[in-house]
Amino acid sequence: MELLLSFLGYEKKEMQGLRVRFVYQKYKTIMLHRQHPENHIKGGALKDVKRMLKEEGVL
C-alpha cells in the first residue's frame, strides 16, 4: 500500500504508535494502521483506501 500511495503522489508521515498518515497535496489525507505481525492489508482496509482514492479523484 505504501508503494502504491507513494506512486500516486502521497507522502508518508509517521505518527504515534502504529498509525501512518499519507498526505496528498497538503490537504487530502489517508490514515492507516500498520499491520502486525503480518505484513498484509485486510480486505476492509483495502476497500476503504480504494473508496477514499475514488472520492478524491485520484483513481
Side-chain angles (χ1 to χ4, degrees), residues 12-41:
K12 180 180 175 182
K13 303 280 186 180
E14 296 288 338
M15 299 182 66
Q16 289 181 326
L18 298 174
R19 292 179 290 173
V20 179
R21 182 179 298 185
F22 292 90
V23 181
Y24 182 73
Q25 297 178 357
K26 297 184 182 180
Y27 61 94
K28 297 178 182 179
T29 301
I30 294 176
M31 191 169 327
L32 298 173
H33 283 87
R34 224 178 256 112
Q35 301 299 316
H36 67 3
E38 305 92 23
N39 192 21
H40 67 276
I41 299 171

